[in-house]
Amino acid sequence: MKPAAFEYHIPDSVSEATRLLAELPEAELMAGNQSLGIAMSNRVATPDHIIDINGLTELDYLDIGDKKIEIGAMVRHRDMEKSSALTEAFPILSISAGKIAGPVVRNRGTLGGSIGEADPGGNYPSVLVAMGGEIELLSTDHTRTVDATDYFTADTTDSINENELIKCARFSKKPFPSHRTGMAFLRKKEAAQSWPIVSVASAVRVADPTHQNPVIEEARVGYANASDVPLRLQSVEAAIEGEPISEQTLRTAGERAYDEVQPQSELHADETYKRELACELTKRVFRRSYDRATAEPIVV
Ligand SMILES: Cc1cc2nc3c(=O)[nH]c(=O)nc-3n(C[C@H](O)[C@H](O)[C@H](O)COP(=O)(O)OP(=O)(O)OC[C@H]3O[C@@H](n4cnc5c(N)ncnc54)[C@H](O)[C@@H]3O)c2cc1C
């Protein structure tokens, strides 16, 4: 099937894009077109107007500071995966970007498109909720910032108004100093190009990485495709906080994840299997984060 007819607009600035959005309420923004294109080809989406934002270099930036990490909406998955500065400062973003589909999707797909799509199985949504990220939205007459946990709702169309554009996502670096933090992202999927059955993102900050078995001061965990929203589970985090990692704390964390995720059965995985995956991936992702937090720094 081919897409239904539409008018094509190429704004040359963000302000022109928001003006077009305000004037054309039935319009869709087109970023990497990796999801929109499929929806339009199947006529699940039939917008009258397409606003192509690929030329908006204002939205294509990585701002990596000591206090915050800000990523523009038009940054491609591939650029996040390959950025050594991002890998060093906030590796969970580079790792999760590198685990999206295959290179073709990663070369074109963008952070803003993924947030705009707001799929509960998406890699960034679970990272955003786990890491306390926020999303900045722009229109012709306002700018507003929304916590990721408020942005991702079961009805994804609630979170963003028709006249708004995603400008960037932002994370506070303060709780995650690089020398005491380890981050990881694990998933189980059917094939290289498919979406994960379940994925888990985590970060662990330890008290003293030079200590042999340091205490975990703070843990974060987020699940994708384990509910109708990306899910942060604080009771699972609490299971490993306040002491060094151990088989017992990992087991408790895994059991809590099994009980508290809210997955739905689908073609390749029933509800019980998804709970089992959440349990096992939780144990592994925390172990990997902890090992990274306590690894010797590489001296060059
Ligand atoms: C085969 C395949 C496998 C995939 N596997 C995964 C996976 O494992 N994990 C994962 O996370 N993703 C996966 N994806 C999705 C991929 O990450 C997409 O690139 C992404 O979801 C959409 O990004 P895009 O830039 O292509 O957006 P588009 O397809 O261009 O747009 C998607 C939606 O977002 C809106 N939008 C785009 N930019 C903005 C903006 N700045 N402000 C407001 N709204 C905006 C659009 O209007 C549209 O409604 C997969 C996709 C494919 C095709």
Side-chain angles (χ1 to χ4, degrees):
M1 211 188 286
K2 287 185 178 164
F6 57 86
E7 260 185 66
Y8 186 57
H9 307 263
I10 312 179
D12 56 20
S13 65
V14 170
S15 56
E16 193 187 341
T18 51
R19 182 184 58 73
L20 285 165
L21 275 178
E23 282 171 11
L24 306 167
E26 299 302 314
E28 280 279 345
L29 294 168
M30 188 179 87
N33 203 29
Q34 296 304 296
S35 299
L36 182 63
I38 296 171
M40 287 177 66
S41 296
N42 289 298
R43 302 212 176 179
V44 176
T46 53
D48 294 336
H49 298 269
I50 288 290
I51 304 170
D52 182 343
I53 56 174
N54 279 274
L56 302 187
T57 48
E58 292 162 82
L59 299 176
D60 185 5
Y61 64 93
L62 291 169
D63 181 359
I64 300 167
D66 293 339
K67 298 204 173 112
K68 69 161 174 66
I69 310 285
E70 188 173 304
I71 301 149
M74 281 307 296
V75 176
R76 315 268 172 194
H77 307 323
R78 187 76 172 162
D79 294 328
M80 286 170 62
E81 178 190 358
K82 293 292 173 194
S83 163
S84 49
L86 187 62
T87 304
E88 190 161 323
F90 218 72
I92 199 165
L93 287 171
S94 302
I95 303 168
S96 59
K99 294 196 171 168
I100 292 175
V104 174
V105 174
R106 292 203 292 276
N107 282 340
R108 296 298 304 164
T110 64
L111 174 91
S114 179
I115 297 171
E117 185 179 20
D119 193 299
N123 296 18
Y124 303 139
S126 62
V127 171
L128 274 154
V129 299
M131 306 306 287
E134 54 185 35
I135 295 155
E136 190 171 314
L137 302 166
L138 283 182
S139 75
T140 45
D141 57 11
H142 68 262
T143 300
R144 68 185 176 107
T145 301
V146 189
D147 286 342
T149 40
D150 297 327
Y151 178 90
F152 294 107
T153 61
D155 182 355
T156 56
T157 54
D158 279 354
S159 354
I160 176 164
N161 297 323
E162 274 174 359
N163 64 345
E164 287 177 325
L165 171 149
I166 297 158
K167 176 181 173 266
C168 63
R170 203 175 293 119
F171 298 85
S172 169
K173 175 89 182 87
K174 210 165 146 234
F176 310 108
S178 299
H179 67 293
R180 293 198 288 130
T181 302
M183 298 177 172
F185 183 95
L186 294 175
R187 85 301 197 218
K188 169 82 178 149
K189 55 171 147 174
E190 280 303 303
Q193 283 288 343
S194 56
W195 287 70
I197 297 172
V198 168
S199 68
V200 186
S202 89
V204 161
R205 187 185 75 238
V206 297
D208 176 2
T210 61
H211 191 281
Q212 199 172 9
N213 287 307
V215 166
I216 295 173
E217 285 183 342
E218 187 168 354
R220 298 290 182 90
V221 69
Y223 298 83
N225 219 13
S227 170
D228 57 4
V229 286
L231 207 58
R232 176 180 170 194
L233 292 177
Q234 284 169 276
S235 66
V236 176
E237 297 166 359
I240 65 159
E241 287 172 335
E243 48 192 306
I245 210 157
S246 68
E247 287 309 312
Q248 178 55 47
T249 58
L250 287 176
R251 191 160 46 245
T252 306
E255 285 166 3
R256 289 184 186 174
Y258 182 99
D259 288 340
E260 293 181 31
V261 291
Q262 301 141 21
Q264 291 194 347
S265 294
E266 54 186 89
L267 185 62
H268 298 295
D270 65 14
E271 185 197 322
T272 306
Y273 178 56
K274 286 181 157 192
R275 286 185 189 279
E276 285 165 357
L277 276 180
C279 169
E280 188 55 35
L281 291 175
T282 298
K283 291 190 268 182
R284 292 186 194 188
V285 84
F286 276 158
R287 167 60 75 186
R288 192 166 295 189
S289 297
Y290 187 77
D291 288 348
R292 286 178 175 160
T294 54
E296 292 272 327
I298 300 165
V299 182
V300 200

